[in-house]
Amino acid sequence: MLAQIYDYYRPHMRLFWLDFGCAVASGLLELAFPLAISGFIDHLLPSGDWGLAVAAAVGLILVYLLNTGLMAVVIYWGHKLGINIETEMRARAFAHLTKLGWGWFDRAETGKLVARVTRDLEEIGEVAHHGPEDLFIAIMTFVGAFALMAWLHLPLALMTLVIVPAMVWLLAVYGARMTRSWQNIYSRVGAFNVRLEESIGGIRVVQAFANEHHEQRLFAGDNSRYRDTKLEAYKIMAGATALHYMGLRFVQVIVMVAGAGFVFQGTLTTGSYVGFLLLVNVFFRPLEKIAAVIETYPRGIAGFQRYLDLLSTEPEITDAPGAKDAPDLKGRIEFDDVHFAYEGAKAVLHDISVTVEPGQTVALVGPSGAGKSTLMALVPRFYEPTQGEIRIDGIPLRDMTLDSLRRQVGHVSQDVFLFGGTLRENVAYGRLDATEEEILDAIEHAQLRPVLEAMPNGLDTVVGERGVMLSGGQRQRVAIARVFLRNPPILLLDEATSALDRGTEREVQAALSRLAVGRTTLIIAHRLNTIQHADRILVMEKGRIVESGNHEDLMTRQAAYYALVG
């Protein structure tokens, strides 16, 4: 893990050495202060020389000013180092998330993912800043303070050293317990975020069923469990801090009494006695620092472990070795003995062998759970067949890069997702470099012009989160405008009008019919009257194609399709 953490420091080594060097220099100046006090008491006070005393005081102030500057560098530039590493980790985590397949997201919980790329990485950033310098300075200060204490009075220094093993054991035991506690806290935070996201995202359903109190009870349960887990962590922290504090103060009292005895014997000067007492504080400061970061380090370690777990998740669908960019596709789709099963579930598709010619419109119909949407999702490789092969224009899908394949496949589903920005941004998502003229042309083809003209700010009107400011039909037409802008040779329409009223459905259907012209189109339809014009209709039952033909042929047979229409 240390080697993996070090990799993130490599691009920022100049910043690291600036922070580290200033922190070390600041630590050395802290060691010099007790010696300065000792010399002031033993040499300057007996001399009675005000000029020399003032000069020494001015020199001490200059040292403090220098240390102040060093501390400012450590605080600002050190945190900049941590933030840089945190930002890079967050970018890597997000980039990795965007590569994971639909199957992985089917099992993932959004709230926990949000926690991994926000709170977890904030804790890692703190550790990235404080980790190396705190460890080195703690050792340096510890050794340096003991050397100075031994130089002032060796027997008294050895007495002070006796308590160290007990303090180290205490920190090790409590540190491990804190790590486990913060791992539990992160797990609770994930569940907490999931509950919050679901309740807020589904607030319309919650209020429609008057289940506000039910959601409040569920939230209260997660909230209470999160509270209990965090209190357990702070209980451990309180015990460690209290024992450390009492141990340090006990040692200070012992040193104070024993040192007084050595002063009475004449083997220790008053100045050295005061300096030694100050050095005791410096000597134990590394342990205090470690005790202070007992709260921070376990959180950072737990967060980094979860971050590594995320990055180690292999994408289920990737470019195969030797995959090449797809040429301009014509749209001939071949399903060759295709089978598919979701992970840990029964098979959804069996023995699918069918060919769709370029420019054809093919409809998939059948009862819910027949496998229609799954079959369609295999075309852009959102999922991989568990057996068999799919080819476009004779090229196996695995021989094309994902990006070049998906750029030539347009997809419009019943559940349209719009981003919370403007109408312009949502339409342009189909092709990010589109000009305003091209965007307006796509809006025209999608029959969105009347909607655009009624909007207060035209293309720059904010549509709200998930397009909440638009009606269902308007959201569907925005999705259609996106695909018009993309202009793909292959079009997938997954129940794109099933949730609309009859009037809106006719408007959207007209836009879809215009969109399908000259493209290979696969349609899943809930209302069968919308697909009677299809060149071919495939009837699916329990993951198999049981009938194939056009509307008239299938009606004449009076079999599965006829039963659906009836």
Side-chain angles (χ1 to χ4, degrees), residues 184-221:
N184 292 334
I185 287 173
Y186 281 135
S187 177
R188 292 296 182 197
V189 167
F192 188 84
N193 286 348
V194 168
R195 175 67 58 197
L196 187 62
E197 189 223 349
E198 287 184 347
S199 298
I200 294 175
I203 192 64
R204 289 169 176 78
V205 176
V206 172
Q207 293 180 350
F209 285 90
N211 279 338
E212 292 90 341
H213 293 297
H214 171 69
E215 290 298 321
Q216 289 166 14
R217 284 194 299 273
L218 293 176
F219 184 84

Short mmCIF file of all heavy atoms in Angstrom, two decimals, residues 184-221:
data_model
loop_
_atom_site.label_atom_id
_atom_site.label_comp_id
_atom_site.label_asym_id
_atom_site.label_seq_id
_atom_site.Cartn_x
_atom_site.Cartn_y
_atom_site.Cartn_z
N ASN A 184 -15.81 0.75 9.72
CA ASN A 184 -17.24 0.58 10.00
C ASN A 184 -18.02 1.87 9.74
O ASN A 184 -19.14 1.85 9.23
CB ASN A 184 -17.45 0.13 11.44
CG ASN A 184 -16.93 -1.27 11.69
OD1 ASN A 184 -16.87 -2.08 10.77
ND2 ASN A 184 -16.56 -1.57 12.93
N ILE A 185 -17.39 3.00 10.10
CA ILE A 185 -18.05 4.29 9.88
C ILE A 185 -18.27 4.53 8.40
O ILE A 185 -19.34 4.97 7.97
CB ILE A 185 -17.23 5.44 10.51
CG1 ILE A 185 -17.36 5.39 12.03
CG2 ILE A 185 -17.67 6.80 9.98
CD1 ILE A 185 -16.46 6.36 12.76
N TYR A 186 -17.27 4.23 7.57
CA TYR A 186 -17.41 4.43 6.13
C TYR A 186 -18.54 3.56 5.56
O TYR A 186 -19.28 3.97 4.67
CB TYR A 186 -16.11 4.12 5.40
CG TYR A 186 -15.10 5.24 5.48
CD1 TYR A 186 -13.77 5.00 5.77
CD2 TYR A 186 -15.49 6.56 5.28
CE1 TYR A 186 -12.85 6.03 5.84
CE2 TYR A 186 -14.57 7.59 5.36
CZ TYR A 186 -13.26 7.32 5.64
OH TYR A 186 -12.36 8.34 5.71
N SER A 187 -18.64 2.34 6.09
CA SER A 187 -19.72 1.47 5.64
C SER A 187 -21.07 2.08 5.99
O SER A 187 -22.01 2.07 5.18
CB SER A 187 -19.57 0.09 6.29
OG SER A 187 -20.63 -0.74 5.93
N ARG A 188 -21.16 2.65 7.20
CA ARG A 188 -22.41 3.29 7.62
C ARG A 188 -22.70 4.54 6.79
O ARG A 188 -23.86 4.82 6.46
CB ARG A 188 -22.34 3.67 9.10
CG ARG A 188 -22.31 2.49 10.06
CD ARG A 188 -23.56 1.68 10.00
NE ARG A 188 -23.57 0.58 10.94
CZ ARG A 188 -24.39 -0.44 10.88
NH1 ARG A 188 -25.27 -0.53 9.89
NH2 ARG A 188 -24.34 -1.41 11.78
N VAL A 189 -21.64 5.30 6.46
CA VAL A 189 -21.83 6.49 5.63
C VAL A 189 -22.41 6.10 4.27
O VAL A 189 -23.29 6.76 3.73
CB VAL A 189 -20.50 7.25 5.45
CG1 VAL A 189 -20.61 8.30 4.36
CG2 VAL A 189 -20.12 7.93 6.76
N GLY A 190 -21.91 5.00 3.70
CA GLY A 190 -22.43 4.54 2.42
C GLY A 190 -23.91 4.23 2.49
O GLY A 190 -24.70 4.66 1.65
N ALA A 191 -24.32 3.46 3.53
CA ALA A 191 -25.74 3.14 3.70
C ALA A 191 -26.57 4.40 3.94
O ALA A 191 -27.69 4.54 3.44
CB ALA A 191 -25.91 2.17 4.87
N PHE A 192 -26.00 5.31 4.70
CA PHE A 192 -26.64 6.59 4.99
C PHE A 192 -26.89 7.36 3.70
O PHE A 192 -27.98 7.88 3.46
CB PHE A 192 -25.68 7.36 5.91
CG PHE A 192 -26.21 8.64 6.48
CD1 PHE A 192 -27.00 8.64 7.60
CD2 PHE A 192 -25.90 9.86 5.90
CE1 PHE A 192 -27.47 9.83 8.13
CE2 PHE A 192 -26.36 11.04 6.42
CZ PHE A 192 -27.15 11.02 7.55
N ASN A 193 -25.87 7.43 2.83
CA ASN A 193 -26.01 8.15 1.56
C ASN A 193 -27.01 7.48 0.63
O ASN A 193 -27.74 8.15 -0.10
CB ASN A 193 -24.65 8.24 0.85
CG ASN A 193 -23.73 9.24 1.51
OD1 ASN A 193 -24.17 10.03 2.33
ND2 ASN A 193 -22.47 9.21 1.17
N VAL A 194 -27.02 6.14 0.63
CA VAL A 194 -27.99 5.42 -0.21
C VAL A 194 -29.41 5.79 0.21
O VAL A 194 -30.27 6.08 -0.64
CB VAL A 194 -27.76 3.90 -0.10
CG1 VAL A 194 -28.93 3.14 -0.74
CG2 VAL A 194 -26.46 3.52 -0.78
N ARG A 195 -29.67 5.75 1.51
CA ARG A 195 -31.02 6.08 1.99
C ARG A 195 -31.38 7.52 1.63
O ARG A 195 -32.49 7.80 1.18
CB ARG A 195 -31.06 5.89 3.51
CG ARG A 195 -32.37 6.32 4.17
CD ARG A 195 -33.52 5.44 3.75
NE ARG A 195 -33.24 4.05 4.08
CZ ARG A 195 -33.89 3.02 3.55
NH1 ARG A 195 -34.85 3.24 2.67
NH2 ARG A 195 -33.59 1.79 3.89
N LEU A 196 -30.45 8.44 1.81
CA LEU A 196 -30.72 9.85 1.52
C LEU A 196 -31.00 10.05 0.03
O LEU A 196 -31.96 10.74 -0.34
CB LEU A 196 -29.51 10.68 1.96
CG LEU A 196 -29.65 12.20 1.90
CD1 LEU A 196 -30.75 12.67 2.83
CD2 LEU A 196 -28.33 12.87 2.28
N GLU A 197 -30.18 9.43 -0.81
CA GLU A 197 -30.33 9.61 -2.25
C GLU A 197 -31.66 9.03 -2.73
O GLU A 197 -32.36 9.64 -3.54
CB GLU A 197 -29.18 8.92 -2.98
CG GLU A 197 -29.13 9.22 -4.46
CD GLU A 197 -28.84 7.98 -5.28
OE1 GLU A 197 -28.49 6.95 -4.72
OE2 GLU A 197 -29.00 8.08 -6.50
N GLU A 198 -32.03 7.85 -2.22
CA GLU A 198 -33.29 7.23 -2.66
C GLU A 198 -34.50 8.05 -2.20
O GLU A 198 -35.45 8.23 -2.95
CB GLU A 198 -33.38 5.81 -2.11
CG GLU A 198 -32.45 4.83 -2.79
CD GLU A 198 -32.64 3.41 -2.28
OE1 GLU A 198 -33.32 3.25 -1.23
OE2 GLU A 198 -32.13 2.48 -2.93
N SER A 199 -34.43 8.54 -0.98
CA SER A 199 -35.58 9.30 -0.46
C SER A 199 -35.77 10.62 -1.20
O SER A 199 -36.89 10.99 -1.55
CB SER A 199 -35.38 9.57 1.04
OG SER A 199 -35.32 8.37 1.76
N ILE A 200 -34.66 11.31 -1.47
CA ILE A 200 -34.76 12.59 -2.17
C ILE A 200 -35.09 12.37 -3.64
O ILE A 200 -35.94 13.05 -4.22
CB ILE A 200 -33.45 13.39 -2.01
CG1 ILE A 200 -33.27 13.80 -0.54
CG2 ILE A 200 -33.46 14.62 -2.91
CD1 ILE A 200 -31.96 14.48 -0.26
N GLY A 201 -34.42 11.38 -4.25
CA GLY A 201 -34.69 11.10 -5.66
C GLY A 201 -36.11 10.63 -5.91
O GLY A 201 -36.68 10.89 -6.97
N GLY A 202 -36.68 9.93 -4.94
CA GLY A 202 -38.05 9.43 -5.11
C GLY A 202 -39.07 10.21 -4.32
O GLY A 202 -40.12 9.68 -3.95
N ILE A 203 -38.80 11.51 -4.06
CA ILE A 203 -39.68 12.29 -3.19
C ILE A 203 -41.10 12.39 -3.73
O ILE A 203 -42.07 12.43 -2.96
CB ILE A 203 -39.09 13.71 -2.95
CG1 ILE A 203 -39.82 14.44 -1.83
CG2 ILE A 203 -39.09 14.52 -4.25
CD1 ILE A 203 -39.68 13.78 -0.49
N ARG A 204 -41.25 12.38 -5.06
CA ARG A 204 -42.59 12.47 -5.62
C ARG A 204 -43.40 11.21 -5.30
O ARG A 204 -44.59 11.29 -5.00
CB ARG A 204 -42.51 12.71 -7.14
CG ARG A 204 -42.03 14.12 -7.49
CD ARG A 204 -41.68 14.26 -8.96
NE ARG A 204 -41.32 15.63 -9.29
CZ ARG A 204 -40.15 16.17 -9.02
NH1 ARG A 204 -39.21 15.45 -8.42
NH2 ARG A 204 -39.88 17.43 -9.34
N VAL A 205 -42.75 10.06 -5.37
CA VAL A 205 -43.42 8.81 -5.01
C VAL A 205 -43.73 8.79 -3.52
O VAL A 205 -44.82 8.39 -3.09
CB VAL A 205 -42.56 7.60 -5.39
CG1 VAL A 205 -43.20 6.30 -4.95
CG2 VAL A 205 -42.30 7.58 -6.89
N VAL A 206 -42.76 9.24 -2.71
CA VAL A 206 -42.94 9.28 -1.26
C VAL A 206 -44.18 10.10 -0.91
O VAL A 206 -45.05 9.67 -0.13
CB VAL A 206 -41.69 9.86 -0.56
CG1 VAL A 206 -41.96 10.09 0.92
CG2 VAL A 206 -40.50 8.94 -0.75
N GLN A 207 -44.27 11.29 -1.47
CA GLN A 207 -45.38 12.18 -1.14
C GLN A 207 -46.69 11.72 -1.76
O GLN A 207 -47.76 11.88 -1.17
CB GLN A 207 -45.05 13.60 -1.58
CG GLN A 207 -43.90 14.22 -0.80
CD GLN A 207 -43.55 15.63 -1.23
OE1 GLN A 207 -44.04 16.11 -2.26
NE2 GLN A 207 -42.70 16.30 -0.47
N ALA A 208 -46.59 11.09 -2.95
CA ALA A 208 -47.81 10.62 -3.61
C ALA A 208 -48.50 9.53 -2.78
O ALA A 208 -49.73 9.44 -2.77
CB ALA A 208 -47.49 10.08 -5.00
N PHE A 209 -47.71 8.73 -2.07
CA PHE A 209 -48.28 7.66 -1.25
C PHE A 209 -48.35 8.05 0.23
O PHE A 209 -48.65 7.20 1.07
CB PHE A 209 -47.45 6.38 -1.40
CG PHE A 209 -47.68 5.67 -2.71
CD1 PHE A 209 -46.91 5.97 -3.82
CD2 PHE A 209 -48.67 4.71 -2.82
CE1 PHE A 209 -47.12 5.33 -5.02
CE2 PHE A 209 -48.89 4.06 -4.02
CZ PHE A 209 -48.12 4.37 -5.13
N ALA A 210 -48.08 9.33 0.52
CA ALA A 210 -48.14 9.84 1.89
C ALA A 210 -47.28 9.00 2.84
O ALA A 210 -47.67 8.68 3.96
CB ALA A 210 -49.59 9.88 2.38
N ASN A 211 -46.08 8.63 2.37
CA ASN A 211 -45.19 7.78 3.16
C ASN A 211 -44.02 8.56 3.76
O ASN A 211 -42.95 8.01 4.00
CB ASN A 211 -44.65 6.65 2.29
CG ASN A 211 -45.65 5.51 2.16
OD1 ASN A 211 -46.54 5.36 3.00
ND2 ASN A 211 -45.51 4.71 1.11
N GLU A 212 -44.23 9.86 4.00
CA GLU A 212 -43.16 10.67 4.57
C GLU A 212 -42.69 10.12 5.92
O GLU A 212 -41.48 10.03 6.17
CB GLU A 212 -43.61 12.11 4.75
CG GLU A 212 -43.86 12.87 3.45
CD GLU A 212 -45.30 12.75 2.97
OE1 GLU A 212 -46.00 11.81 3.42
OE2 GLU A 212 -45.71 13.57 2.14
N HIS A 213 -43.64 9.72 6.78
CA HIS A 213 -43.26 9.23 8.10
C HIS A 213 -42.52 7.89 8.01
O HIS A 213 -41.60 7.62 8.79
CB HIS A 213 -44.49 9.09 9.00
CG HIS A 213 -45.12 10.40 9.36
ND1 HIS A 213 -44.46 11.36 10.10
CD2 HIS A 213 -46.34 10.93 9.06
CE1 HIS A 213 -45.24 12.43 10.25
NE2 HIS A 213 -46.38 12.19 9.62
N HIS A 214 -42.90 7.07 7.05
CA HIS A 214 -42.21 5.80 6.83
C HIS A 214 -40.75 6.06 6.45
O HIS A 214 -39.83 5.43 7.00
CB HIS A 214 -42.92 5.00 5.74
CG HIS A 214 -42.17 3.78 5.30
ND1 HIS A 214 -42.01 2.68 6.10
CD2 HIS A 214 -41.53 3.51 4.12
CE1 HIS A 214 -41.29 1.77 5.45
NE2 HIS A 214 -40.99 2.25 4.26
N GLU A 215 -40.52 6.98 5.51
CA GLU A 215 -39.16 7.30 5.10
C GLU A 215 -38.37 7.93 6.24
O GLU A 215 -37.18 7.68 6.39
CB GLU A 215 -39.18 8.24 3.89
CG GLU A 215 -39.67 7.61 2.61
CD GLU A 215 -38.78 6.47 2.15
OE1 GLU A 215 -37.55 6.59 2.29
OE2 GLU A 215 -39.31 5.46 1.67
N GLN A 216 -39.04 8.74 7.04
CA GLN A 216 -38.37 9.35 8.19
C GLN A 216 -37.92 8.28 9.19
O GLN A 216 -36.83 8.38 9.77
CB GLN A 216 -39.30 10.36 8.86
CG GLN A 216 -39.53 11.62 8.05
CD GLN A 216 -40.70 12.45 8.55
OE1 GLN A 216 -41.19 12.22 9.66
NE2 GLN A 216 -41.16 13.38 7.74
N ARG A 217 -38.75 7.24 9.37
CA ARG A 217 -38.37 6.15 10.29
C ARG A 217 -37.16 5.39 9.74
O ARG A 217 -36.24 5.05 10.50
CB ARG A 217 -39.55 5.20 10.50
CG ARG A 217 -40.63 5.73 11.43
CD ARG A 217 -41.58 4.63 11.86
NE ARG A 217 -42.28 4.03 10.72
CZ ARG A 217 -43.42 4.49 10.20
NH1 ARG A 217 -43.99 5.56 10.73
NH2 ARG A 217 -43.98 3.88 9.18
N LEU A 218 -37.18 5.08 8.44
CA LEU A 218 -36.06 4.37 7.84
C LEU A 218 -34.77 5.21 7.95
O LEU A 218 -33.70 4.70 8.27
CB LEU A 218 -36.35 4.05 6.38
CG LEU A 218 -37.48 3.04 6.12
CD1 LEU A 218 -37.72 2.91 4.62
CD2 LEU A 218 -37.14 1.69 6.72
N PHE A 219 -34.91 6.51 7.67
CA PHE A 219 -33.76 7.41 7.75
C PHE A 219 -33.25 7.50 9.18
O PHE A 219 -32.04 7.50 9.42
CB PHE A 219 -34.14 8.79 7.22
CG PHE A 219 -32.98 9.75 7.19
CD1 PHE A 219 -32.10 9.76 6.12
CD2 PHE A 219 -32.76 10.64 8.23
CE1 PHE A 219 -31.02 10.63 6.08
CE2 PHE A 219 -31.70 11.51 8.21
CZ PHE A 219 -30.82 11.52 7.13
N ALA A 220 -34.19 7.57 10.13
CA ALA A 220 -33.80 7.65 11.54
C ALA A 220 -33.01 6.42 11.96
O ALA A 220 -32.06 6.51 12.75
CB ALA A 220 -35.04 7.82 12.41
N GLY A 221 -33.39 5.25 11.43
CA GLY A 221 -32.65 4.03 11.75
C GLY A 221 -31.21 4.09 11.26
O GLY A 221 -30.27 3.80 12.01
#
